[in-house]
Amino acid sequence: MSEAFDLVVIGGGPGGYVAAIRAAQLGMKVACVEMRGSLGGTCLNVGCIPSKALLNSSEKFEDANLHFASHGIKVKAELDLMAMMARKDKAVLDLTKGIEGLFKKNKVTYVIGKGAVKSATEVVVDGKQSLQTKRILIATGSDVMPLPGVAVDEKKIVSSTGALSLEKVPEHLIVVGGGVIGLELGSVWRRLGAKVTVVEFLERIGGPMDGEVSKQLQRTLEKQGIVFKLGAKVTGASVSAKGVSLSVEPAKGGDKESLSGDVVLVSIGRKPYTDGLGLDKAGVKLDERGRVAVDGHYETNVKGVYAIGDVIAGPMLAHKAEDEGMAVAEIMAGQKWHVYYDAIPSVIYTWPEVAVVGKSEEELKAAGIEYKAGKFPFMANSRGRTVGETDGFVKVLADAKTDRVLGMHIIGPDAGTLIAEGVLVMEYGGSSEDIARTCHAHPTLNEAVKEAALAVLGRAVHI
């Protein structure tokens, strides 16, 4: 069987399905090949969406047991883990079916199976079905990064996928990796009753985020009960009927110790998914880190073959992939689109949330850029006080000479939503003065952003 298309997309995740839909809107005949049998990629099926569903449910459970009383509401919550998991699964199913509906609406052909590049004009699905095409887009995303000496069985040693579907609350969950995934899923199970220990190779959590934000986040999570072992590496694991024993030693060298728990979550990062795509035979080059190498228009060294998302360089974020999906479709149609990578936000959905966009203070200092910083605490924010969310702050970093906003860093309530103001200002080259002179409704959490911008200028009002 052979069918001809203008574009065949390999991968139905956030980048792939957005690119397929946009290309179809622009008049192309499009097919999207997805081997999972469920659209939405890692993000929707076993990543962003199910984790946020569990984060939300676990927040409500903890609120009922710890915080409702301060509002004059007396209740004792009882955990129904199966119902919580069912709610999470329904959210995933509804959204995946929604994408199928969008494909039908936009006349995108959905092909279930594993696609491979046979040539610049042919994709083969499961070694059988041939799709002839003018262009190919690789949007296969990423996969879990393995940890040598610690084999994932998705029962006692789990990846993020297994951690989303545990059948019972662990007594002691050990999280290997203090990045976004580890902190979020560690927070879920800590709220539901597990003791949680995070083992992180670096001397700080949260990866390359602003140092002040990282310290604040660690202090807050420690108050909530999470234990951190920083500057430590896991070198091996032993599984028994009782659980898992990890061999842990200082990252800089030193005496080993044993750390035992009944479940271990390995979350040390992700790697580009390029296995079995036939890229070597097709002559598509990879870079030194195993990512597909592309030019400024997302085209590989093989003319007509493109790539976006986690499989190329840049932050592994669903919204980055979506923007690239829009961009590459419009580029193929002869239009212009530019992704401003300095204005791509990143969020950690712990509580409080952490959201960042642009440069950190450490990055600006390393680059020798003179800047001014303005900071405002949620403790002084009226809405933060009324809803009982006073941990954290907003920090705005602006060029010392031009006042152009270079970065915004938020740790606090609903930071993932608040950061959009910083993203928009940076996208259009705005200044802290622009934020400061924009009227913000009262009382809102957003006023903390305005006050931080005023602080850059030395004229914050409420501190």
Side-chain angles (χ1 to χ4, degrees):
M1 177 182 176
S2 179
E3 190 172 358
F5 295 91
D6 295 313
L7 171 64
V8 172
V9 180
I10 303 177
Y17 84 73
V18 167
I21 291 171
R22 184 63 185 128
Q25 290 174 345
L26 291 166
M28 300 181 210
K29 184 179 179 183
V30 183
C32 182
V33 183
E34 170 54 54
M35 67 179 182
R36 193 187 299 270
S38 176
L39 292 167
T42 294
C43 175
L44 202 158
N45 288 276
V46 291
C48 323
I49 300 304
S51 65
K52 301 314 166 283
L54 289 182
L55 280 160
N56 179 254
S57 295
S58 62
E59 284 170 15
K60 292 184 183 298
F61 178 73
E62 185 167 72
D63 281 344
N65 281 327
L66 298 182
H67 306 306
F68 278 8
S70 66
H71 293 271
I73 305 170
K74 294 184 178 181
V75 62
K76 179 63 178 177
E78 181 181 342
L79 176 63
D80 185 342
L81 186 59
M82 288 184 64
M84 188 178 289
M85 291 295 178
R87 175 183 177 274
K88 174 258 298 180
D89 292 340
K90 185 178 185 303
V92 170
L93 180 62
D94 289 349
L95 288 168
T96 57
K97 292 300 181 183
I99 299 173
E100 287 187 31
L102 291 172
F103 272 13
K104 290 178 181 177
K105 176 183 176 182
N106 291 281
K107 297 181 174 55
V108 174
T109 300
Y110 174 27
V111 182
I112 298 176
K114 182 165 184 176
V117 180
K118 187 173 182 179
S119 71
T121 58
E122 183 180 6
V123 170
V124 177
V125 182
D126 292 337
K128 303 174 183 177
Q129 183 178 2
S130 173
L131 305 177
Q132 301 297 317
T133 181
K134 295 177 182 176
R135 300 182 185 88
I136 297 169
L137 175 61
I138 301 164
T140 46
S142 59
D143 201 359
V144 174
M145 182 79 75
L147 178 61
V150 184
V152 170
D153 59 16
E154 298 297 12
K155 294 179 180 179
K156 292 183 178 179
I157 301 178
V158 299
S159 67
S160 55
T161 300
L164 290 166
S165 301
L166 297 180
E167 295 180 354
K168 65 177 182 178
V169 179
E171 290 185 17
H172 185 195
L173 172 67
I174 303 174
V175 179
V176 184
V180 176
I181 297 170
L183 296 178
E184 289 185 354
L185 293 177
S187 292
V188 167
W189 293 107
R190 196 277 308 162
R191 293 169 188 157
L192 299 181
K195 174 186 175 183
V196 175
T197 302
V198 175
V199 182
E200 168 55 46
F201 184 82
L202 301 177
E203 294 290 345
R204 51 183 281 179
I205 64 171
M209 72 167 65
D210 184 271
E212 187 177 13
V213 174
S214 176
K215 291 177 182 177
Q216 174 75 48
L217 179 61
Q218 183 180 336
R219 286 195 296 266
T220 305
L221 294 179
E222 285 175 337
K223 288 180 182 178
Q224 295 173 4
I226 295 180
V227 175
F228 291 95
K229 293 183 70 66
L230 304 180
K233 63 179 178 180
V234 174
T235 57
S238 176
V239 179
S240 67
K242 294 182 179 180
V244 184
S245 178
L246 294 179
S247 297
V248 182
E249 62 183 69
K252 296 179 180 179
D255 295 334
K256 293 184 179 181
E257 64 173 305
S258 180
L259 190 61
S260 298
D262 46 333
V263 176
V264 171
L265 164 60
V266 177
S267 55
I268 61 170
R270 299 183 65 82
K271 62 178 183 177
Y273 185 87
T274 57
D275 297 342
L277 296 180
L279 301 183
D280 52 345
K281 293 181 180 179
V284 176
K285 292 182 179 179
L286 306 182
D287 67 14
E288 70 284 353
R289 295 177 59 180
R291 302 169 299 194
V292 178
V294 296
D295 63 16
H297 292 115
Y298 307 104
E299 192 168 18
T300 70
N301 63 296
V302 177
K303 186 173 177 57
V305 179
Y306 299 75
I308 60 168
D310 287 4
V311 81
I312 69 171
M316 291 183 172
L317 297 168
H319 44 280
K320 176 255 196 186
E322 288 183 355
D323 273 13
E324 290 176 340
M326 293 285 286
V328 74
E330 298 198 0
I331 288 169
M332 289 176 185
Q335 299 182 10
K336 293 182 178 180
W337 180 288
H338 173 67
V339 177
Y340 182 33
Y341 287 95
D342 283 347
I344 293 178
S346 179
V347 184
I348 303 178
Y349 292 91
T350 48
W351 201 261
E353 292 179 356
V354 173
V356 304
V357 63
K359 303 297 184 184
S360 67
E361 289 201 60
E362 290 81 2
E363 289 173 324
L364 292 175
K365 289 175 182 176
I369 298 173
E370 294 185 11
Y371 68 94
K372 292 183 179 180
K375 191 168 74 169
F376 188 81
F378 283 101
M379 181 70 73
N381 174 261
S382 298
R383 188 62 184 272
R385 284 278 191 173
T386 60
V387 299
E389 298 292 351
T390 56
D391 285 337
F393 55 84
V394 178
K395 182 196 291 187
V396 175
L397 305 176
D399 189 282
K401 296 178 181 178
T402 67
D403 193 39
R404 180 173 179 168
V405 175
L406 303 174
M408 184 179 290
H409 306 266
I410 307 175
I411 176 169
D414 214 13
T417 301
L418 299 181
I419 199 66
E421 184 169 5
V423 175
L424 187 62
V425 167
M426 288 186 63
E427 183 71 32
Y428 289 95
S431 65
S432 68
E433 181 83 18
D434 291 327
I435 299 174
R437 289 189 177 276
T438 300
C439 187
H440 291 62
H442 175 76
T444 61
L445 297 171
N446 304 67
E447 288 177 290
V449 176
K450 177 176 181 174
E451 289 278 358
L454 283 166
V456 172
L457 307 167
R459 59 176 196 258
V461 173
H462 291 95
I463 49 172

